[in-house]
Amino acid sequence: MTMLGAHQSARAGAFAPLRRLIAGAMARDLRALVVPGVDVALAAGLDLSRAGLTEADGPRQANVLLVMLPLPAPMLKAATVAYAQMPRPRTVLVLGEGVIAPLPEPDSVR
């Protein structure tokens, strides 16, 4: 029987293998909801398939919210609603410069 340190708990690593399995599966199946749309991404020179992404049919099928900035305030609000509808785990990827509030801080910015 091993002794746990003060900062550890008995359950700390209980789900680590499951988390690795889910993370690995998600890394192979990245489905992006592109705001304002895939046509804008294509016009900007972004090929989703070459980036390892597939287009999601809607927010409930997406695990990546890809935001192309700049966006008008009403579209940012709509993107926030879509983000709230996405199942967890989810991530935000921002391309461009500008304000993304009320969306949460992006996980990655390019």
Side-chain angles (χ1 to χ4, degrees):
M1 186 164 148
T2 60
M3 298 297 293
L4 298 175
H7 66 282
Q8 295 176 324
S9 71
R11 296 181 55 96
F15 293 104
L18 180 60
R19 286 183 183 147
R20 281 194 297 272
L21 179 66
I22 291 170
M26 283 187 58
R28 290 185 296 274
D29 186 28
L30 295 175
R31 294 159 306 192
L33 180 63
V34 183
V35 178
V38 175
D39 53 338
V40 174
L42 289 172
L46 176 64
D47 183 358
L48 291 179
S49 62
R50 289 193 66 182
L53 302 168
T54 57
E55 181 182 1
D57 294 330
R60 296 193 195 283
Q61 290 77 35
N63 52 16
V64 176
L65 180 64
L66 176 59
V67 181
M68 310 270 307
L69 293 178
L71 289 177
M75 192 163 289
L76 277 171
K77 288 181 183 179
T80 303
V81 171
Y83 178 77
Q85 294 173 347
M86 291 170 58
R88 289 184 174 92
R90 58 193 175 188
T91 189
V92 177
L93 174 62
V94 174
L95 299 177
E97 294 183 22
V99 178
I100 65 163
L103 282 168
E105 287 295 316
D107 297 293
S108 183
V109 178
R110 291 281 173 187

